[in-house]
Amino acid sequence: MTIHEIRAEEALEILQQCISMELRVKSSEVGRTVGRMQEYGFQLKNSWASMELKDHTIIEFWKKELLKGT
């Protein structure tokens, strides 16, 4: 199965079960992506995984309930 063949229900289940993830995001869309991930229950986590590449930023997210102080 390729990523193009995944069903929306499967993707939603994966997202619901996920506790952390790293995303490569276009640098111009970082703010929008952080906001969207917060809606899904994830919080931006500053870590070594958060780095900038040419035209992209790697962002690490964790489920809000797993981060202290959230």
Side-chain angles (χ1 to χ4, degrees):
M1 174 184 294
T2 67
I3 193 69
H4 299 290
E5 296 171 346
I6 193 167
R7 295 189 322 264
E9 299 84 26
E10 290 174 313
L12 179 59
E13 183 177 340
I14 290 169
L15 187 61
Q16 290 171 336
Q17 298 301 319
C18 190
I19 57 171
S20 69
M21 69 173 66
E22 295 174 10
L23 297 177
R24 182 184 70 174
V25 180
K26 288 183 181 179
S27 295
S28 62
E29 297 181 13
V30 169
R32 189 177 81 146
T33 300
V34 169
R36 183 182 307 142
M37 292 302 289
Q38 288 176 339
E39 291 175 13
Y40 295 149
F42 288 88
Q43 184 69 36
L44 171 70
K45 183 173 187 278
N46 287 326
S47 73
W48 64 269
S50 298
M51 66 178 100
E52 291 191 26
L53 304 171
K54 184 180 180 190
D55 300 325
H56 289 85
T57 302
I58 307 297
I59 309 171
E60 184 174 10
F61 293 94
W62 283 70
K63 277 289 194 173
K64 290 179 182 178
E65 61 263 21
L66 298 176
L67 295 175
K68 293 180 180 182
T70 57

